[in-house]
């Protein structure tokens, strides 16, 4: 399956997003069948989320309809999670929010031709 274009290619950012590192971090939590905690993964996820929230905030004015509604929901839920004292039991929730933030950014900021190519690749 082809992944959407990465928003890290936008040169208006002061620091490009390292999309593969962010994905690797949340996937290590969400898809790891073991119950053993990954050292420092909560701190990594927290850093990723703190980076992604303002990025999605910048995209929000350009979003319309269900995309915007979903982004507002994800941002609201993420801010509530960040306002709580994040403990090790919240690592999975933080990984879920990180995935949602990155997915919204990637889906919304890719060009139309990349959308079509991704759909054709998945269906084919």
């Amino acid at each position: 399956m082809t992944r959407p274009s990465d928003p890290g290619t936008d040169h208006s950012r002061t620091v490009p997003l390292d999309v593969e590192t962010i994905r690797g971090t949340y996937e290590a939590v969400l898809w790891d069948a073991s119950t053993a905690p990954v050292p420092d993964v909560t701190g990594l996820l927290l850093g990723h989320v703190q980076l992604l929230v303002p990025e999605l905030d910048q995209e929000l004015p350009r979003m319309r309809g269900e995309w915007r509604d979903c982004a507002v929901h994800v941002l609201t839920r993420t801010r509530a999670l960040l306002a709580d004292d994040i403990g090790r039991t919240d690592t999975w929730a933080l990984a879920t929010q990180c995935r949602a933030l990155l997915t919204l950014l990637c889906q919304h900021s890719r060009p139309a031709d990349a959308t079509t190519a991704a759909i054709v690749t998945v269906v084919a």
Side-chain angles (χ1 to χ4, degrees):
M1 180 168 115
T2 302
R3 292 182 187 223
S5 299
D6 297 335
T9 57
D10 180 358
H11 299 292
S12 66
R13 291 183 174 89
T14 53
V15 177
L17 295 177
D18 186 350
V19 174
E20 291 306 314
T21 298
I22 295 170
R23 277 191 186 119
T25 304
Y26 69 66
E27 286 176 353
V29 173
L30 297 176
W31 312 125
D32 186 8
S34 73
T35 57
V38 179
D40 301 322
V41 74
T42 302
L44 286 172
L45 286 168
L46 184 57
H48 296 328
V49 167
Q50 289 171 337
L51 177 69
L52 293 170
V53 166
E55 294 290 333
L56 189 55
D57 265 335
Q58 282 185 328
E59 284 294 315
L60 200 57
R62 291 183 286 282
M63 293 179 161
R64 300 287 178 256
E66 292 176 0
W67 282 108
R68 183 178 173 82
D69 294 343
C70 184
V72 167
H73 173 77
V74 168
L75 286 166
T76 301
R77 174 67 184 111
T78 302
R79 287 188 175 109
L81 183 65
L82 291 174
D84 291 340
D85 183 28
I86 298 173
R88 294 195 74 64
T89 58
D90 298 317
T91 302
W92 195 84
L94 200 55
T96 301
Q97 292 308 116
C98 187
R99 179 181 61 181
L101 291 163
L102 186 64
T103 299
L104 283 164
L105 277 169
C106 288
Q107 290 290 331
H108 190 265
S109 62
R110 69 182 176 185
D113 59 341
T115 302
T116 306
I119 291 170
V120 169
T121 303
V122 172
V123 173

